[in-house]
Amino acid sequence: MHTTNYYNTFIEVAEDCPVATAEMPPQKGDAKTVANLQFEMLNGKPYQFTSDEVLFSVFAAKNEVPEEELDAERQKFFSKGQACFRASPLTKRYGWGVHANEEGRIALVPLGSGEYETLVGDGRLKVVKAMRSKKG
């Protein structure tokens, strides 16, 4: 089984993130985007979920996986590597850092906040950048 969970890690926003402060992802039309679903799950609920829980829940919602198939689909989903929160639109486009605590539970941290700057400079954490949107 593969995992996307990080421990004692802070994911900074991507170098080419287009915003200077965190933004709520806008909804496009009737369907919620991956960014909307991730944001709704995490905003105001720090350290309640692991990365694996969020990413699989969003996958299941987007693909309308029936309740009775969730366990089998989860096994299939994590049987191969999945993109982690370094590839999330929240960290790449909307200015949200992601802090994973020692239990692997995550919290959103807005770019431009004191907490964001504190976590970037915390020598006890592994600090990694989100993936760039553009090559080069």
Side-chain angles (χ1 to χ4, degrees):
M1 290 294 279
H2 294 269
T3 184
T4 64
N5 292 343
Y6 281 94
Y7 300 89
N8 295 317
T9 301
F10 184 64
I11 301 171
E12 289 184 77
V13 301
E15 284 179 21
D16 61 350
C17 181
V19 298
T21 57
E23 296 179 347
M24 191 170 112
Q27 189 167 323
K28 297 176 174 114
D30 292 338
K32 291 185 178 179
T33 64
V34 166
N36 296 139
L37 294 168
Q38 289 177 350
F39 186 78
E40 285 176 3
M41 231 178 134
L42 293 169
N43 189 40
K45 300 176 204 120
Y47 309 109
Q48 286 189 21
F49 303 103
T50 65
S51 173
D52 282 354
E53 290 168 333
V54 174
L55 295 175
F56 179 73
S57 293
V58 168
F59 166 82
K62 292 290 285 176
N63 291 282
E64 299 176 0
V65 176
E67 185 81 29
E68 64 274 7
E69 293 177 22
L70 285 175
D71 287 342
E73 284 297 320
R74 184 180 178 84
Q75 291 286 330
K76 197 158 66 171
F77 185 78
F78 288 111
S79 69
K80 58 185 188 289
Q82 297 294 332
C84 66
F85 262 89
R86 290 183 57 223
S88 166
L90 296 178
T91 59
K92 289 173 67 170
R93 162 69 186 89
Y94 295 107
W96 294 93
V98 175
H99 175 239
N101 68 13
E102 63 281 348
E103 297 170 356
R105 298 191 174 280
I106 60 175
L108 292 178
V109 182
L111 178 63
S113 69
E115 183 184 7
Y116 185 98
E117 295 308 318
T118 299
L119 289 168
V120 166
D122 188 333
R124 297 167 299 180
L125 293 176
K126 179 179 179 182
V127 178
V128 295
K129 282 207 181 286
M131 295 174 170
R132 297 170 53 94
S133 294
K134 299 171 197 83
K135 293 186 195 269

